[in-house]
C-alpha cells in the first residue's frame, strides 16, 4: 500500500523533474514540494502520477492493483478525495 502525488483527472504521468548524468536536477515543470517533517522546504516531487500508474504496475508484474479513494468527515479526511494504492505480486 502506498501513496504518491496523483492527479485523478489525468491518465499519463507528468514528469516534473529529472536528474541528468551529472547529478543535476532538471525541471520540466514548475517545482512542486510536498510536506516533509525534516525539511521546511519539503520534498521535491519528481512525478505527478495519473491513472497510467495502474497499468504500469500490472505491466511490471503486479496481479492485484487497486486505487482506494476515501473521504471522511468523521475521521477528518476533508478537502478533496484522498487516494491510496495497493499492489500485490
Amino acid at each position: 500500500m502506498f501513496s504518491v502525488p496523483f492527479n485523478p483527472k489525468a491518465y499519463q504521468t507528468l514528469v516534473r523533474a529529472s536528474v541528468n548524468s551529472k547529478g543535476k536536477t532538471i525541471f520540466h515543470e514548475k517545482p512542486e514540494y510536498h510536506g516533509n517533517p525534516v525539511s521546511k522546504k519539503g520534498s521535491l516531487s519528481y512525478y505527478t502520477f495519473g491513472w497510467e500508474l495502474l497499468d504500469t504496475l500490472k505491466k511490471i508484474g503486479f496481479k492485484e492493483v487497486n486505487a482506494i479513494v476515501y473521504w471522511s468527515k468523521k475521521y477528518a479526511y476533508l478537502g478533496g478525495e484522498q487516494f491510496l494504492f495497493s499492489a500485490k505480486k
Side-chain angles (χ1 to χ4, degrees):
M1 185 164 277
F2 60 96
S3 65
V4 293
F6 182 72
N7 178 359
K9 295 180 181 176
Y11 172 76
Q12 289 187 310
T13 295
L14 174 66
V15 179
R16 305 187 67 76
S18 60
V19 177
N20 69 14
S21 61
K22 296 181 181 181
K24 181 179 178 188
T25 300
I26 306 299
F27 295 98
H28 308 288
E29 300 286 332
K30 180 180 175 185
E32 183 175 285
Y33 293 88
H34 292 229
N36 180 339
V38 296
S39 169
K40 289 181 182 179
K41 186 174 184 179
S43 294
L44 175 64
S45 176
Y46 284 78
Y47 302 94
T48 299
F49 293 91
W51 290 107
E52 171 186 36
L53 175 62
L54 301 177
D55 293 332
T56 300
L57 291 167
K58 290 175 188 174
K59 285 179 188 173
I60 62 173
F62 287 93
K63 304 293 181 207
E64 293 181 35
V65 176
N66 297 289
I68 303 157
V69 183
Y70 63 96
W71 182 94
S72 173
K73 182 177 179 181
K74 178 179 178 180
Y75 295 109
Y77 300 132
L78 305 174
E81 298 94 358
Q82 303 294 310
F83 288 82
L84 289 176
F85 299 90
S86 67
K88 186 175 180 179
K89 282 245 177 182

